[in-house]
């Protein structure tokens, strides 16, 4: 019977039975068990297969440090079951084997390949012939690795990201961490403590009554106001006290004024042949099994120790009725030759200088090392203390302190170099990556004589334990082999994550916020098909036929929600002078009540954005931008003025102002039905801007015509959006008014050859090659942003030109389709649509400058075939603009 | 798309105080706009495309998305230590009113 009779301080609750499945068979556990302790109690000893040789591995640390107990739990691979609480109905599976955990057919790599697979073996062996690599890769990938992801995907809850601030963040919930947190909280500071295990207590949890003391410390911490997060893994420690914490399905990004690292110690293995056999364990691992879970871990035990920890384990084992068949204290005299021997991967005997003792459990204590990984990653230096045989973090970053074991409080000095029998075979240094002392010496002989190079070559310290169990021992092997001391060998760079975390945590991010106009509900009520445009959701169209929706605008009157346009107010005595500097065309001479089109360029001469500028009075300009450019243009303007310091102010009105464009031959009639203001052709001319009232709401009416028909763009306070929209629809019913979406708008503007910045221009487009030279003010006295580069583009000669084209055959190329001239790719189609109104397929394309003549011909690839297109300069529809000005 | 820790510093907005970097936008190192009325192609290219990319303290432009104002910062490009931040005044762009000594932000980051 593995389970002991009830013990005075045990943590398990024998009145609760929890059943889970292991490899399809039910296992019964007690409340308070971990999956690991329950499996061990059920008699299981082999917990995993090693990475490279597929050697059987069993529980070693029982503290969540090593990778020996990694299993797939409920579809999630590589879970350390020694610290995972049991869950009713959990489905647990072993991983990285062919056949079964106990009889892994891949172990042939250990039996046959083992002695012949030194580091670099795979790189060297499977590189030639190159053509066979895909085959090799498939086989090797199958043989190595740590568990498998379910290809159908494992359903997981959404990952949430949370931002937190604290005065003090304590990483590590052992005794030192709990005490520090309690003190800080008692002093009135806001303290968060993160513990990577499911419960606080740290090393205390290995002691017989440790969990009682841990509970008392926890009670005091909570009473003092400490906020506890567990299980919560600190992924890294960055500048300004930033610590991202993996907290199950949350990523908590904590920013703390002070960070206290209390990550405790990591017990170190001894290095001797057979030190990876199932049944070779670290002292706290054994003590946790005995003291917390009331498990008798073996019949006989042999203890090899470099410190008092092994003695403590020996005492606990004897109390649990385990026969202590040997105890070797390495502090007493020269270390002998030690070897663990096993059968089928399980330890059977220990040989000391050739004398064999039968045992089924070996406790090895190489004396602990401070768990300094997080500090090292944060930039602390790690120094070897020769007298104590430990690496101690020094030169901590600002606002970071270390306490307890992590700071070097690891107890009495032990044997400083507890590396034994390292000449033998299968003396494992790195259990995760299956690297032995011999492999390291082999790497040194091959010239990888720096610890950083060795790490990359042998992958020592790169496994799931992140070097916790192998880093120090690998440095010691290097020191011995090279004759240098540990400080000269140095440590490898510690990088985040400091503990393995799921990719989901890294990939998960908050839902992108969607922007909706004040008319959003009205669009949905009308059955609009919504589409994304940048951060906005906008109506694509309201019915199945976007072409018909466009024709309705030509025939009667249409309404489109253009609230997404960026809207800025530029005010001040130098507002006009400011606009003169950022636009290639002039605005200081624009008359109050008039509108002018403007395009923005950067100093590289590239087109950034476009829109209209209306002058409301001497010192007030109302600027619209593209829907996606609102923030960028605001930042652009305010940045230039931070430099120039002109007397001008900028107000972002995008969200505050709704805008509706009413366009079509009956637009005037519609406006007259909803407004008492003068909308006559004389009262409100083309390119006039006027303050009016529409449906009783004060509005700015801009008479502009992006869609090529008589149109009024009405800008008014957003809260009135629904009211104005409904009134226009209602009052226009007899005029056949209808809403139209973005897609019909794209057809209509293309009929006019109007450019959409970003669609018909790209990062190479300048004003000349985008066919807008008429915008460029050439007066010498005017300096504007982009002038120099625009001039340079003209001086070097134009290479490309944006032109309109028709598709005489009616074939519709794709947007982005290649323009082909004499078989050579020479430009691309930027926009293309079929216009019902014109009965033609029309588009815009960037073509070589020489082709930019009416009737110019070029081919576009359509379904792999070259289809001829014909250049058309100027608008396709209403070239004289009579309808706009009617 | 945020990253777990590619930038994790706090930057002090002169208006809003210390802020997470996500709440701000770094517009790159400040550079000098050519003073000439018609800079040569070489001067223009240097101004538009070249940056010093120093290892050390650099002067850069930041935009605070909270108060929507620009400010200048001196930040160490390796340690991310922000030495100081301030709102630009006439001293930061002598002759700024005519644009001759103006600093320029990275345009590439500006275009959406
Ligand atoms: Zn601010």
């Amino acid at each position: 019977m593995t389970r002991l009779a009830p013990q005075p301080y045990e943590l398990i609750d024998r009145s609760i039975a929890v059943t889970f499945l292991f490899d399809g068979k039910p296992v019964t556990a007690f409340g308070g068990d971990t999956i690991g302790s329950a499996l061990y109690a059920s008699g299981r000893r082999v917990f995993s297969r090693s990475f490279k040789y597929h050697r059987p591995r069993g529980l070693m640390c029982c503290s969540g440090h090593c990778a020996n107990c990694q299993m797939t739990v409920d579809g999630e691979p590589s879970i350390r079951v020694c610290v995972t609480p049991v869950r009713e109905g959990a489905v647990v599976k072993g991983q990285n084997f062919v056949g079964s955990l106990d009889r892994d057919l891949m172990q042939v790599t250990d039996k046959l390949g083992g002695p012949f697979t030194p580091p670099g073996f795979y790189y060297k062996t499977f590189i030639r012939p190159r053509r066979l690599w895909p085959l090799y890769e498939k086989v090797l990938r199958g043989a190595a690795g740590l568990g498998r992801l379910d290809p159908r995907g494992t359903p997981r809850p959404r990952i949430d990201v949370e931002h937190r601030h604290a005065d003090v963040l304590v990483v590590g919930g052992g005794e030192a961490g709990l005490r520090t947190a309690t003190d800080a909280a008692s002093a009135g500071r806001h303290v968060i403590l993160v513990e990577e295990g499911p419960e606080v207590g740290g090393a205390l949890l290995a002691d017989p009554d440790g969990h009682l003391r841990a509970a008392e410390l926890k009670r005091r911490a909570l009473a003092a106001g400490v906020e506890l997060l567990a299980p919560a893994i600190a992924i890294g420690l960055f500048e300004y006290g930033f610590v991202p914490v993996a907290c199950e399905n949350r990523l908590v990004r904590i920013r703390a004024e002070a960070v206290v690292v209390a990550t405790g110690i990591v017990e170190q293995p001894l290095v001797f042949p057979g030190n990876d056999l199932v049944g070779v364990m670290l002292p706290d691992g054994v003590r946790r099994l005995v003291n917390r879970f009331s498990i008798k871990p073996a019949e006989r035990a042999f203890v090899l120790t470099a410190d008092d920890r092994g003695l403590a384990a020996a005492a606990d084992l004897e109390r649990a009725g385990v026969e202590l068949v040997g105890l070797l204290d390495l502090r007493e005299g020269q270390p002998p030759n030690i070897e663990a021997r096993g059968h089928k991967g399980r330890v059977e005997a220990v040989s000391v200088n050739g004398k064999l003792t039968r045992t089924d459990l070996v406790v090895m204590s190489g004396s602990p090392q401070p768990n300094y990984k997080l500090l090292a990653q944060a930039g602390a230096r790690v120094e070897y203390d020769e007298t104590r045989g430990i690496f101690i973090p020094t030169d901590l970053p600002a606002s970071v302190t270390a306490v307890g074991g992590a700071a070097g409080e690891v107890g009495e000095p032990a044997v400083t170099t507890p590396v034994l029998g390292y000449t033998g075979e299968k003396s494992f240094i790195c259990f995760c990556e299956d690297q032995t002392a011999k492999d390291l010496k082999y790497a040194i002989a091959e010239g990888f004589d720096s610890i950083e190079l060795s790490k990359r070559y042998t992958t020592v310290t790169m496994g799931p334990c992140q070097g916790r169990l192998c880093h120090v021992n690998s440095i010691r092997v290097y020191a011995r082999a090279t004759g240098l001391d540990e400080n000269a060998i140095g440590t490898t760079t510690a990088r985040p994550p400091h503990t393995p975390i799921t990719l989901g945590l890294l990939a998960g991010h908050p839902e992108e916020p969607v922007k909706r106009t004040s008319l959003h509900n009205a669009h949905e009520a009308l059955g609009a098909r919504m589409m994304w445009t940048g951060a906005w959701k906008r109506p694509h169209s309201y019915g199945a036929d976007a072409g018909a929706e466009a024709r309705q605008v030509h025939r009667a009157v249409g309404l489109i929600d253009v609230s997404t346009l960026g809207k800025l107010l530029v005010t001040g005595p130098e507002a006009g002078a400011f606009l003169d500097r950022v636009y290639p065309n002039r605005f200081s001479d624009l008359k109050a009540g008039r509108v002018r089109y403007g395009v923005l360029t950067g100093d590289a001469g590239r087109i950034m954005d476009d829109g209209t500028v209306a002058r409301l009075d001497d010192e007030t300009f109302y600027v619209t931008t593209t829907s996606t450019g609102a923030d960028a243009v605001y930042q652009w303007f305010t940045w230039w003025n931070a430099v120039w310091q002109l007397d001008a102010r900028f107000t972002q009105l995008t969200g505050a102002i709704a805008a509706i464009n009413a366009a079509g031959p009956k637009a005037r009639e519609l406006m007259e039905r909803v407004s008492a203001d003068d909308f006559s052709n004389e009262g409100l001319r083309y390119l006039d801007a006027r303050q009016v009232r529409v449906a009783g709401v004060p509005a700015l009416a801009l008479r502009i015509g992006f869609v090529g028909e008589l149109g009024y763009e009405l800008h008014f306070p957003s809260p009135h959006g629904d009211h104005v929209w409904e009134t226009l629809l209602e009052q226009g019913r007899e005029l056949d008014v209808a809403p139209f979406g973005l897609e019909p708008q794209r057809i209509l503007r293309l009929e006019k050859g109007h450019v959409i910045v970003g669609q018909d221009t790209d990062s190479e487009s300048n004003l000349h090659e985008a066919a807008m030279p008429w915008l460029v003010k050439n007066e010498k006295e005017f300096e504007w942003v982009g002038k120099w580069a625009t001039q340079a583009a003209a001086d070097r000669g134009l290479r490309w030109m944006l032109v309109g084209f028709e598709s005489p055959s009616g074939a519709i190329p794709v947007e982005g389709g290649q323009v082909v001239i004499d078989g050579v790719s020479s430009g691309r189609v930027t926009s293309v649509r079929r216009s019902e109104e014109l009965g033609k397929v029309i588009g815009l394309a960037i073509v070589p400058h020489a082709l930019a003549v009416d009737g110019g011909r070029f081919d576009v690839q359509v379904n792999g075939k070259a289809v001829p297109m014909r250049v058309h300069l100027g608008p396709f529809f209403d070239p004289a603009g009579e309808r706009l000005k009617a | 798309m945020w990253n777990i820790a590619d930038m994790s510093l706090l930057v002090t907005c002169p208006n809003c105080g210390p802020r997470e970097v996500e709440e701000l936008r770094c517009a790159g190192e400040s550079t000098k706009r050519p003073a000439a009325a018609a800079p040569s192609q070489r001067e223009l290219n240097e101004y538009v495309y070249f940056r010093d990319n120093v290892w050390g303290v650099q002067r850069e432009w930041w935009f605070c998305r909270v108060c929507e104002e620009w400010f200048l910062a001196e930040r160490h490009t390796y340690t991310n230590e922000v030495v100081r931040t301030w709102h630009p005044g006439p001293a930061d762009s002598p002759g700024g009113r005519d644009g001759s000594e103006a600093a320029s932000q990275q345009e590439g980051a500006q275009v959406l």
Side-chain angles (χ1 to χ4, degrees), chain A residues 396-414:
Chain A
L396 304 190
S399 313
V400 176
T401 48
V403 296
E409 290 168 24
V410 298
E412 287 299 298

PDB file of all heavy atoms in Angstrom, chain A residues 396-414:
ATOM      1  N   LEU A 396      21.347  44.620  -8.715  1.00  0.00           N
ATOM      2  CA  LEU A 396      19.948  44.522  -9.121  1.00  0.00           C
ATOM      3  C   LEU A 396      19.502  45.818  -9.784  1.00  0.00           C
ATOM      4  O   LEU A 396      19.993  46.901  -9.452  1.00  0.00           O
ATOM      5  CB  LEU A 396      19.064  44.237  -7.910  1.00  0.00           C
ATOM      6  CG  LEU A 396      19.414  43.007  -7.077  1.00  0.00           C
ATOM      7  CD1 LEU A 396      18.307  42.722  -6.071  1.00  0.00           C
ATOM      8  CD2 LEU A 396      19.606  41.780  -7.969  1.00  0.00           C
ATOM      9  N   PRO A 397      18.568  45.719 -10.740  1.00  0.00           N
ATOM     10  CA  PRO A 397      18.053  46.931 -11.371  1.00  0.00           C
ATOM     11  C   PRO A 397      17.376  47.840 -10.341  1.00  0.00           C
ATOM     12  O   PRO A 397      17.001  47.366  -9.261  1.00  0.00           O
ATOM     13  CB  PRO A 397      17.016  46.408 -12.377  1.00  0.00           C
ATOM     14  CG  PRO A 397      17.266  44.953 -12.499  1.00  0.00           C
ATOM     15  CD  PRO A 397      17.940  44.497 -11.258  1.00  0.00           C
ATOM     16  N   ALA A 398      17.215  49.097 -10.698  1.00  0.00           N
ATOM     17  CA  ALA A 398      16.570  50.060  -9.800  1.00  0.00           C
ATOM     18  C   ALA A 398      15.195  49.567  -9.389  1.00  0.00           C
ATOM     19  O   ALA A 398      14.476  48.978 -10.200  1.00  0.00           O
ATOM     20  CB  ALA A 398      16.454  51.411 -10.503  1.00  0.00           C
ATOM     21  N   SER A 399      14.841  49.800  -8.165  1.00  0.00           N
ATOM     22  CA  SER A 399      13.526  49.448  -7.609  1.00  0.00           C
ATOM     23  C   SER A 399      13.271  47.954  -7.537  1.00  0.00           C
ATOM     24  O   SER A 399      12.132  47.525  -7.389  1.00  0.00           O
ATOM     25  CB  SER A 399      12.375  50.090  -8.396  1.00  0.00           C
ATOM     26  OG  SER A 399      12.628  51.433  -8.616  1.00  0.00           O
ATOM     27  N   VAL A 400      14.300  47.144  -7.705  1.00  0.00           N
ATOM     28  CA  VAL A 400      14.123  45.693  -7.563  1.00  0.00           C
ATOM     29  C   VAL A 400      14.957  45.225  -6.380  1.00  0.00           C
ATOM     30  O   VAL A 400      16.118  45.612  -6.251  1.00  0.00           O
ATOM     31  CB  VAL A 400      14.569  44.949  -8.845  1.00  0.00           C
ATOM     32  CG1 VAL A 400      14.481  43.440  -8.655  1.00  0.00           C
ATOM     33  CG2 VAL A 400      13.725  45.389 -10.035  1.00  0.00           C
ATOM     34  N   THR A 401      14.347  44.416  -5.523  1.00  0.00           N
ATOM     35  CA  THR A 401      15.111  43.825  -4.429  1.00  0.00           C
ATOM     36  C   THR A 401      14.854  42.325  -4.438  1.00  0.00           C
ATOM     37  O   THR A 401      13.900  41.847  -5.048  1.00  0.00           O
ATOM     38  CB  THR A 401      14.703  44.396  -3.058  1.00  0.00           C
ATOM     39  OG1 THR A 401      13.277  44.365  -2.970  1.00  0.00           O
ATOM     40  CG2 THR A 401      15.189  45.811  -2.865  1.00  0.00           C
ATOM     41  N   ALA A 402      15.739  41.594  -3.771  1.00  0.00           N
ATOM     42  CA  ALA A 402      15.564  40.154  -3.641  1.00  0.00           C
ATOM     43  C   ALA A 402      15.559  39.823  -2.166  1.00  0.00           C
ATOM     44  O   ALA A 402      16.274  40.444  -1.377  1.00  0.00           O
ATOM     45  CB  ALA A 402      16.693  39.426  -4.352  1.00  0.00           C
ATOM     46  N   VAL A 403      14.736  38.865  -1.796  1.00  0.00           N
ATOM     47  CA  VAL A 403      14.712  38.433  -0.396  1.00  0.00           C
ATOM     48  C   VAL A 403      14.743  36.907  -0.349  1.00  0.00           C
ATOM     49  O   VAL A 403      14.435  36.236  -1.334  1.00  0.00           O
ATOM     50  CB  VAL A 403      13.443  38.941   0.351  1.00  0.00           C
ATOM     51  CG1 VAL A 403      13.440  40.456   0.429  1.00  0.00           C
ATOM     52  CG2 VAL A 403      12.181  38.421  -0.316  1.00  0.00           C
ATOM     53  N   GLY A 404      15.093  36.379   0.809  1.00  0.00           N
ATOM     54  CA  GLY A 404      15.048  34.939   1.046  1.00  0.00           C
ATOM     55  C   GLY A 404      16.014  34.167   0.162  1.00  0.00           C
ATOM     56  O   GLY A 404      17.107  34.643  -0.162  1.00  0.00           O
ATOM     57  N   GLY A 405      15.593  32.987  -0.218  1.00  0.00           N
ATOM     58  CA  GLY A 405      16.452  32.094  -0.984  1.00  0.00           C
ATOM     59  C   GLY A 405      16.965  32.719  -2.266  1.00  0.00           C
ATOM     60  O   GLY A 405      18.129  32.548  -2.643  1.00  0.00           O
ATOM     61  N   ALA A 406      16.123  33.483  -2.944  1.00  0.00           N
ATOM     62  CA  ALA A 406      16.531  34.098  -4.211  1.00  0.00           C
ATOM     63  C   ALA A 406      17.701  35.050  -4.000  1.00  0.00           C
ATOM     64  O   ALA A 406      18.528  35.265  -4.891  1.00  0.00           O
ATOM     65  CB  ALA A 406      15.359  34.840  -4.839  1.00  0.00           C
ATOM     66  N   ALA A 407      17.786  35.645  -2.787  1.00  0.00           N
ATOM     67  CA  ALA A 407      18.862  36.590  -2.504  1.00  0.00           C
ATOM     68  C   ALA A 407      20.121  35.882  -2.037  1.00  0.00           C
ATOM     69  O   ALA A 407      21.147  36.519  -1.825  1.00  0.00           O
ATOM     70  CB  ALA A 407      18.397  37.576  -1.432  1.00  0.00           C
ATOM     71  N   GLY A 408      20.038  34.574  -1.857  1.00  0.00           N
ATOM     72  CA  GLY A 408      21.229  33.825  -1.453  1.00  0.00           C
ATOM     73  C   GLY A 408      21.122  33.196  -0.086  1.00  0.00           C
ATOM     74  O   GLY A 408      22.074  32.580   0.387  1.00  0.00           O
ATOM     75  N   GLU A 409      19.974  33.362   0.573  1.00  0.00           N
ATOM     76  CA  GLU A 409      19.804  32.719   1.881  1.00  0.00           C
ATOM     77  C   GLU A 409      19.420  31.265   1.662  1.00  0.00           C
ATOM     78  O   GLU A 409      18.256  30.911   1.615  1.00  0.00           O
ATOM     79  CB  GLU A 409      18.712  33.440   2.670  1.00  0.00           C
ATOM     80  CG  GLU A 409      19.135  34.822   3.131  1.00  0.00           C
ATOM     81  CD  GLU A 409      17.943  35.629   3.650  1.00  0.00           C
ATOM     82  OE1 GLU A 409      16.937  35.019   4.062  1.00  0.00           O
ATOM     83  OE2 GLU A 409      18.027  36.866   3.619  1.00  0.00           O
ATOM     84  N   VAL A 410      20.441  30.429   1.499  1.00  0.00           N
ATOM     85  CA  VAL A 410      20.142  29.036   1.188  1.00  0.00           C
ATOM     86  C   VAL A 410      20.623  28.105   2.308  1.00  0.00           C
ATOM     87  O   VAL A 410      20.719  26.905   2.124  1.00  0.00           O
ATOM     88  CB  VAL A 410      20.777  28.607  -0.151  1.00  0.00           C
ATOM     89  CG1 VAL A 410      20.218  29.424  -1.292  1.00  0.00           C
ATOM     90  CG2 VAL A 410      22.293  28.750  -0.105  1.00  0.00           C
ATOM     91  N   GLY A 411      20.920  28.668   3.440  1.00  0.00           N
ATOM     92  CA  GLY A 411      21.343  27.821   4.551  1.00  0.00           C
ATOM     93  C   GLY A 411      22.846  27.676   4.618  1.00  0.00           C
ATOM     94  O   GLY A 411      23.595  28.443   4.006  1.00  0.00           O
ATOM     95  N   GLU A 412      23.258  26.697   5.386  1.00  0.00           N
ATOM     96  CA  GLU A 412      24.679  26.469   5.641  1.00  0.00           C
ATOM     97  C   GLU A 412      25.434  26.198   4.352  1.00  0.00           C
ATOM     98  O   GLU A 412      24.906  25.573   3.437  1.00  0.00           O
ATOM     99  CB  GLU A 412      24.840  25.256   6.572  1.00  0.00           C
ATOM    100  CG  GLU A 412      24.442  25.531   8.005  1.00  0.00           C
ATOM    101  CD  GLU A 412      25.298  26.617   8.631  1.00  0.00           C
ATOM    102  OE1 GLU A 412      26.527  26.413   8.737  1.00  0.00           O
ATOM    103  OE2 GLU A 412      24.753  27.686   8.981  1.00  0.00           O
ATOM    104  N   PRO A 413      26.710  26.655   4.268  1.00  0.00           N
ATOM    105  CA  PRO A 413      27.518  26.297   3.111  1.00  0.00           C
ATOM    106  C   PRO A 413      27.599  24.774   2.995  1.00  0.00           C
ATOM    107  O   PRO A 413      27.766  24.077   3.994  1.00  0.00           O
ATOM    108  CB  PRO A 413      28.892  26.879   3.426  1.00  0.00           C
ATOM    109  CG  PRO A 413      28.666  27.879   4.489  1.00  0.00           C
ATOM    110  CD  PRO A 413      27.445  27.481   5.238  1.00  0.00           C
ATOM    111  N   ALA A 414      27.441  24.292   1.795  1.00  0.00           N
ATOM    112  CA  ALA A 414      27.488  22.854   1.576  1.00  0.00           C
ATOM    113  C   ALA A 414      28.759  22.529   0.798  1.00  0.00           C
ATOM    114  O   ALA A 414      29.658  23.353   0.694  1.00  0.00           O
ATOM    115  CB  ALA A 414      26.258  22.405   0.816  1.00  0.00           C
TER     116      ALA A 414
END
